[in-house]
Amino acid sequence: MDNSIIYAVGGVILGLIIGFIITKRVEKNNASKLIKEAKKNADLLLKEARSEGERLKKDKILQAKEKFIELKSEHEKVILSRDKKMAEAEKRTRDKESQISNELSKGKKLNENLERKTKDYNHRLDVLEKKQEELDKLHKNQVQQLEVISSLSAEEAKEQLVESLKGEAKNDAMAYIQSSLEEAKLTAEQEAKKVIINTIQRIGTEEAVDNCVSVFNIESDDVKGRIIGREGRNIRAIEAATGVEIIVDDTPEAIILSCFDSVRREIARLSLHKLVTDGRIHPARIEEIVKKTQKQIEQEIIEVGKRTVIDLGIHNLNPELIKMVGRMKYRSSYGQNLLQHSREVAKLCGVMAAELGLNPKLAKRAGLLHDIGKVPDAEADMETPHAILGMQWAEKFGEKADVCNAIGAHHDEIEMKSLLAPIIQVCDAISGARPGARRQVLDSYIQRLKDLEDIAFGFTGVKKAYAIQAGRELRVIVESEKVDDQKAADLSFSISQKVQTDMTYPGQVKVTVIRETRAVNIAK
């Protein structure tokens, strides 16, 4: 039993050993096969690598050859271009050398000619100096002989010659001035008239005439007694509250309000209208109504100013200036409403500035504000010319320098510093001088005509003088024996300058000097 177990164990062990040996042999055979296949694959790979290397080598060689040929051709081109440039540079150098040599030869010839001419000139100068000395001697001898003959010294003769030349020069200067003025008129007057006429035609304004009296209409004469009140207390209360003189006369259904201040007159008119409508007329009620009306008028003044600047397209105007513009509605100048006049001037200035290529908005602004000095707040301001006062207010409330200068210079109180100033002056004259715009007092009108004639009579040789065409023209008749044609032109210019400096007038004054000679004989 024990032996069988041993044999069995030994057989198992022997079988294991044999199996292990067989397995090793099989693995060895497989490994040898794998090695052989790997060697074959390696050989194949080496062959392929060699063939690929040869192919790449050939390609690189071909590429290198092509690159070499390309670089060689480019290098040859560069060399050829350099050779060509060098040849051209050499050619230019040779041309310049030949040109320089030609110029040198010419310069040499010129130098020789110059030296020859210099010698000739020096010789001539010597001759001229000798002749000049001889002429000086002869001139001195002639002067001495002339002094002996004429019994005048050389200085006296010079003075007479200078005086005669002065007279001739003065006549020539006046002739030149006259011709220059005529030429300027021909060229400039036509264009200026065109601009002014176009401006006037494009601006249409209403003619407004105010005065110092307002008429308050009433329904019946019974109302007059209620306005007067017991012992006149109501009318005295109204006059004290408004500062307006109330005239109650026999005029039917009318009461006259008299005051130089249009604002006060308007306050009195509206207050009376409210009192008559309400029916309660007594001093306490009068004071209450007048105060309310004053506030209403002040608000209306501001509204009028705002509407005016909006209608004219003016922006960023100071509220105080807007208030002054509104107050111009209740002011008049020579019967012309000041606000209407300022609106008209603003429109004229805008159109004229546009025609001349200037800023029309700035021109409108200056045109609207040019007469704000005519609505002073205090009595002290009345002593300052309205143009200067308006300029000061414009500067105070931040207006531009050109606008301020135009306001101050539109009546020539200060010097004009911009093109805006003469435009304002011209448009102000156009608005004030057109027919029907203003109403002048007869006495002042006659005095102005008389002053024009007196200016003409202040010059020597004036025989008669007539102011015609409402003072727009001055006809001067001179004595032909004392004034010749040249002096007549000089006299016309002098009179016009005198009128321009001594008088104030709207528009312009034409001065015409008439000189005539009459030969009269009587046949018997």
Side-chain angles (χ1 to χ4, degrees):
M1 186 65 179
D2 295 330
N3 291 328
S4 61
I5 293 168
I6 293 167
Y7 288 141
V9 172
V12 171
I13 292 168
L14 183 60
L16 290 170
I17 293 168
I18 293 169
F20 177 76
I21 293 169
I22 291 169
T23 302
K24 289 292 182 181
R25 285 182 178 272
V26 172
E27 289 179 355
K28 187 176 181 182
N29 291 330
N30 290 332
S32 63
K33 288 179 181 179
L34 289 171
I35 290 168
K36 288 179 181 179
E37 290 178 359
K39 287 182 178 180
K40 288 180 181 179
N41 291 331
D43 293 336
L44 290 172
L45 290 171
L46 286 171
K47 287 180 182 179
E48 290 178 0
R50 288 192 186 98
S51 62
E52 185 68 22
E54 290 294 330
R55 188 177 62 78
L56 290 171
K57 182 179 179 182
K58 290 179 181 178
D59 291 339
K60 293 294 181 183
I61 291 170
L62 288 173
Q63 290 177 1
K65 287 181 179 180
E66 290 175 357
K67 187 70 175 177
F68 174 75
I69 293 169
E70 184 179 353
L71 291 172
K72 184 179 179 182
S73 63
E74 290 180 358
H75 183 66
E76 288 176 352
K77 288 180 181 179
V78 171
I79 292 172
L80 289 173
S81 65
R82 285 182 180 175
D83 292 341
K84 186 176 180 181
K85 289 180 180 178
M86 289 177 66
E88 291 176 354
E90 290 177 355
K91 184 179 179 182
R92 287 196 298 270
T93 303
R94 288 194 298 270
D95 293 340
K96 286 183 179 179
E97 288 177 353
S98 61
Q99 186 178 359
I100 289 169
S101 62
N102 292 330
E103 290 179 355
L104 287 173
S105 61
K106 289 180 181 178
K108 188 175 181 181
K109 291 179 181 178
L110 289 173
N111 287 331
E112 292 176 354
N113 292 331
L114 184 62
E115 290 177 357
R116 186 174 61 257
K117 288 180 179 180
T118 303
K119 292 179 180 179
D120 188 16
Y121 289 153
N122 290 330
H123 178 68
R124 290 184 179 183
L125 284 173
D126 295 335
V127 174
L128 287 173
E129 287 177 357
K130 292 179 181 178
K131 289 183 178 180
Q132 185 65 36
E133 291 176 357
E134 294 176 358
L135 286 172
D136 290 340
K137 292 179 180 179
L138 290 173
H139 178 68
K140 288 180 180 179
N141 293 330
Q142 289 178 352
V143 168
Q144 290 175 356
Q145 292 176 3
L146 288 172
E147 288 178 352
V148 172
I149 294 170
S150 62
S151 69
L152 290 174
S153 64
E155 293 297 327
E156 292 174 347
K158 284 181 181 180
E159 289 178 359
Q160 290 184 359
L161 180 61
V162 168
E163 289 298 326
S164 64
L165 289 176
K166 279 183 180 179
E168 291 179 3
K170 186 176 180 181
N171 293 332
D172 293 341
M174 289 304 303
Y176 177 75
I177 290 172
Q178 190 67 26
S179 63
S180 299
L181 287 173
E182 293 297 330
E183 184 179 358
K185 286 179 182 178
L186 289 174
T187 56
E189 186 175 355
Q190 185 175 2
E191 189 65 24
K193 284 181 179 179
K194 180 181 176 182
V195 172
I196 293 173
I197 290 171
N198 288 338
T199 303
I200 294 173
Q201 288 177 345
R202 290 171 63 182
I203 303 298
T205 58
E206 298 179 356
E207 296 180 5
V209 178
D210 294 339
N211 50 35
C212 294
V213 175
S214 295
V215 178
F216 178 72
N217 296 315
I218 56 178
E219 295 179 357
S220 63
D221 290 341
D222 295 337
V223 181
K224 286 185 180 180
R226 295 169 58 193
I227 292 173
I228 295 171
R230 184 179 297 176
E231 298 179 355
R233 62 176 185 174
N234 289 345
I235 195 170
R236 286 197 301 270
I238 295 172
E239 289 179 345
T242 60
V244 175
E245 183 182 359
I246 299 176
I247 303 172
V248 181
D249 53 14
D250 295 335
T251 305
E253 299 180 355
I255 293 176
I256 297 174
L257 308 177
S258 176
C259 181
F260 72 93
D261 192 337
S262 302
V263 178
R264 293 182 190 173
R265 204 164 63 245
E266 183 67 11
I267 291 172
R269 190 187 67 81
L270 291 176
S271 299
L272 276 175
H273 178 73
K274 291 179 181 179
L275 288 168
V276 171
T277 304
D278 184 51
R280 294 175 293 171
I281 305 175
H282 53 82
R285 182 64 177 167
I286 288 170
E287 291 180 1
E288 180 185 352
I289 291 296
V290 169
K291 288 180 180 178
K292 289 182 179 179
T293 306
Q294 286 175 347
K295 292 180 180 179
Q296 179 184 345
I297 291 294
E298 289 176 0
Q299 188 63 33
E300 184 180 350
I301 285 172
I302 296 172
E303 292 298 325
V304 168
K306 288 181 179 179
R307 286 198 302 270
T308 301
V309 297
I310 290 171
D311 291 344
L312 294 174
I314 297 172
H315 305 287
N316 300 324
L317 197 64
N318 189 280
E320 290 296 325
L321 293 178
I322 291 176
K323 188 176 179 181
M324 291 176 187
V325 171
R327 290 177 62 190
M328 287 195 292
K329 178 183 177 182
Y330 301 102
R331 292 290 187 275
S332 61
S333 177
Y334 294 100
Q336 185 180 25
N337 183 269
L338 194 57
L339 181 60
Q340 294 294 332
H341 167 66
S342 298
R343 287 172 64 97
E344 183 179 1
V345 171
K347 293 177 181 179
L348 289 168
C349 290
V351 175
M352 191 172 290
E355 290 287 337
L356 297 175
L358 302 175
N359 187 345
K361 292 184 178 179
L362 207 62
K364 277 186 179 181
R365 197 180 194 97
L368 178 64
L369 300 177
H370 80 284
D371 270 346
I372 57 173
K374 289 185 177 181
V375 286
D377 287 328
E379 292 294 332
D381 295 333
M382 299 288 289
E383 300 175 359
T384 306
H386 76 274
I388 302 299
L389 185 60
M391 180 186 70
Q392 292 172 355
W393 282 348
E395 291 174 348
K396 178 181 177 181
F397 296 118
E399 290 298 318
K400 292 184 178 179
D402 289 348
V403 174
C404 297
N405 178 256
I407 294 171
H410 79 277
H411 283 311
D412 293 323
E413 275 87 359
I414 63 172
E415 182 183 358
M416 296 182 181
K417 296 182 180 178
S418 67
L419 289 176
L420 200 61
I423 290 177
I424 304 302
Q425 189 179 53
V426 169
C427 293
D428 181 42
I430 291 171
S431 176
R434 62 181 174 80
R438 292 184 174 182
R439 184 183 61 222
Q440 290 181 326
V441 181
L442 181 62
D443 293 341
S444 62
Y445 169 74
I446 294 173
Q447 184 63 38
R448 186 164 69 87
L449 299 184
K450 187 175 182 300
D451 291 341
L452 275 174
E453 295 176 355
D454 289 342
I455 288 175
F457 282 120
F459 290 85
T460 57
V462 176
K463 185 178 181 181
K464 296 178 182 178
Y466 302 102
I468 61 175
Q469 294 186 6
R472 296 291 190 273
E473 184 177 355
L474 180 62
R475 293 278 179 90
V476 181
I477 301 174
V478 297
E479 299 178 9
S480 58
E481 297 82 4
K482 296 181 180 180
V483 181
D484 57 11
D485 291 338
Q486 186 64 37
K487 288 183 179 179
D490 189 8
L491 184 63
S492 174
F493 179 76
S494 300
I495 293 174
S496 65
Q497 294 298 309
K498 183 74 171 175
V499 171
Q500 184 173 340
T501 54
D502 292 358
M503 295 190 64
T504 301
Y505 51 89
Q508 60 185 13
V509 177
K510 180 181 179 182
V511 179
T512 304
V513 174
I514 301 172
R515 176 183 178 270
E516 63 178 1
T517 303
R518 295 185 182 183
V520 180
N521 290 298
I522 299 173
K524 296 182 180 179

